[in-house]
Amino acid sequence: MPATEQTWRDLKVLHVIFGVSAIILLVATVTMLTVDHNRPWKKYQRTFRALETWSAAARVDAENSRAFAEKSASLEAELGEVRRADLNPQLVEQFLEAVESVSADAEAGAFAREDVERLRTESDPDQRFALRGDLLQRFSDIIGRTQFREDQLAGSLKLRKAELDKRRADYELAIADGAAESHQQELLVLADAKRAEVEEATLVFQEANRHRKALQATLKQIMAPEDAAAKELADHRQTLSLLRKTLSDRAPNLGKTVLELPVLDAFNGPLRVDQIWLPKLTLNNNFRDVARFDRCTTCHQGMSKSAPGQPTEPAYPEATTVEVMLPTPEEVPQLSGDLEDSLQLEEIYGFQLAAEGLFEKDSPTVSVVLPESPAALAGLQSGDVIAAVGGGRTPVRPLAVAALLENVSWGSPLQLSIERGVPQPYSTHPRLDLFVGDSSPHPMKTFGCTICHQGQGSATSFKWASHSPNTPKQSHLWHDEYGWFNNHHWIRPMRPERFEESSCLKCHHQVVDLAPSERFPEPPAPKVVEGYNLIRQYGCFGCHEINGWSGPEERIGPDMRVEPNYHEVAQAIAADPGFAGMDATFKRWVGDVISSPDGTVARGQVREALEADAGQGDEAILSDRSHVLANLLKTPETPGNYPKVGPSLRHVASKVGFDWLYAWLRNPQDFRPSTKMPRFFGLWEHLEGAGLEESQRYEPLEIRSMVSYLTSSSQPFAFIEPYQGITAPPDVERGKKWQCE
């Protein structure tokens, strides 16, 4: 076939297809980068960084206020006064006497005395400042000369010790070489002489060292007032310096902004996924134990943040609403019209409002609260948002300023509604003394988050983390705001807030270590402890057993089960209609279990006999009910240890009648207000309409049915026959005395 320039496909069509595909690929790539760049966790991290920047700026503003400047000036004035004051005469005299006790320093001590006298008689403040500084410098120079002499003595002592070592070595070598006795004696005399020189030099050095330390200690006491004032001023200034440095580190800058750009954020950008690797706390994933890793702190950035200087106090408590009463001046304040509204608020109330809010730009947010001001006494804190003043809503800053400065009844306190704290996911864990903190029993680096809260720790989005709403209303809000749904593919969803304490029982099986203690006066798990005590108090475990074991050696929680009740089982077997047809041996075994339920031999034989009788089928002597009781005679691997709740009802018809039983079942508290038995009937407060009518109509029938069952199932009680030949009449007082004694 001859060659031509014609192609199989039309090139123009291919060019169009290629161009359109390239555009689609470009749009898809840009969309992918945009979606990745705007992932929710990055938004949370940016907001939390803004929160920390705002908090640092607020602390800087609080320190850099007029109160800070006034305190700085006051501390500087105090330091100046100290530096112009007379030195302590007793300490100065003690110092000079110590100096003059050494002949080499006598002349320097005389000059120092002249300076002391000149300082005492000088009245000009500037001259006193200079003379005092020169005098202290002279004291330091004297100590320096003392240090120099001590160093020389130390060197001389070191040289003599080396010479002593040489003399001793010569003597020992002479002995080793078998030198003449006279030569050995000569070397020994030289070594002893050098040892005496070393001892003398040591005493001289020790005296010089003691003298220098005594001078330094006295000079330190002389300068103590000045050092204390200088340290207080330095600490005061350093606080502001550190806060400014913190603000500089947290504030966004050009470098951080560039590293947050798409693609570039992959190269060690400031926004990153935080991950806690927990290889020892494994997770069963499809029949295989794998290491757990939690990324919760990717969004919950402030979870472990503590307040400055308070390692157990949360830096960012969760949002809540509080009411405070703000005092106002008795008369209308007379302020200059040139003052900004924040300065006016500071003059009148002692606090300032930030120029911008944190989570909402226009929200009236408190930035500075001056110590001992009306605002501080009212309980206002930095970061508080003023939601209402005197009952009137103040959603924006101008409304709050007007309510605080213009629409005020001076002399009457203002009621402020305050929104305090930060919302999730920015808040700090409320119990840093127990969890998360490095000094707590459960540090986050060791335990992570999902070991207690459950949920999908590897997720970095709200809906895939398997959060569990606390109420149906919250689930609807989450669905609308975050796209939340019930992810049934993850079998370990996060526990709702109302059940979050239940995870404590994973490790704290006995519950008692969750109660208040000396170290933790506030109970670690108050709801769990209260529920545990209620179950014990009311004996719920009598019917609703809580098995704390999944095997002989595997504990899974608190064990709240009644102890084995072999005695009652044996009595039930003895009451079987077919029991009379059993042989004497079986009856003896049953009697042994009744009289000695702790024995194992008779109990095992009774169980085997019951199983054998059940195997007879239609020819069985005992009833099916007795056959079922055979399982209750087994020895459990981990028996319960709680006593049986309530008395036996086996002979109830012999004790009480129909009327008493009916009244007791209807409301036990009517007969005994302190009884632990709960009330089951007559609880109609939550009912209305047809449900209420049916309960009022049929509950009496249910009570009568229960009474009928109890009395018909009751077994006769064999009373003890009274002693024969007793002729004395009954005496209540004698019986009471016998019972009491």
Side-chain angles (χ1 to χ4, degrees), residues 6 78-79 96-97 106 117 209 230 298 343 374 453 465 562 614 629 635 715 740:
Q6 186 175 3
E78 291 179 6
L79 180 58
L96 293 177
E97 288 179 357
E117 183 62 24
N209 178 266
T298 301
L343 296 179
H453 291 279
V562 295
L629 294 178
T635 301
Q715 300 173 11
C740 294

Side-chain angles (χ1 to χ4, degrees), residues 214-280:
L215 291 179
Q216 286 181 334
T218 306
L219 181 59
K220 185 177 181 180
Q221 290 180 320
I222 293 173
M223 298 185 65
E226 179 180 345
D227 291 342
K231 183 178 184 303
E232 186 175 3
L233 178 59
D235 291 344
H236 180 66
R237 290 173 175 172
Q238 186 183 22
T239 302
L240 183 58
S241 301
L242 293 176
L243 288 175
R244 283 175 174 167
K245 183 179 183 301
T246 303
L247 176 60
S248 176
D249 294 340
R250 294 177 178 177
N253 52 44
L254 179 61
K256 294 179 181 178
T257 304
V258 170
L259 288 176
E260 291 178 18
L261 294 176
V263 180
L264 294 180
D265 60 357
F267 299 95
N268 197 26
L271 306 180
R272 61 175 64 92
V273 173
D274 291 340
Q275 181 166 286
I276 304 174
W277 183 251
L278 304 165
K280 295 183 179 180

Side-chain angles (χ1 to χ4, degrees), residues 537-539 664 667-679:
Q537 177 182 354
Y538 289 102
W664 175 261
N667 186 7
Q669 283 79 17
D670 283 347
F671 178 79
R672 183 185 296 169
S674 61
T675 183
K676 295 180 180 179
M677 180 174 174
R679 180 180 181 181

Side-chain angles (χ1 to χ4, degrees), residues 5 9 98 145 201 262-263 321 336 400 404 462 477 523 609 663 674 715 727:
E5 294 183 358
R9 303 288 184 185
R145 293 175 58 186
V263 180
T321 301
S336 173
L404 292 168
F462 185 89
L477 293 175
S674 61
Q715 300 173 11
T727 58

Side-chain angles (χ1 to χ4, degrees), residues 49 181 193 199 229 353 395 484 500 605 637 726 728:
R49 186 175 63 191
E181 185 69 26
E199 292 176 353
L353 289 180
W484 176 86
E500 60 185 4
Q605 291 169 336
E637 293 179 335
I726 299 177

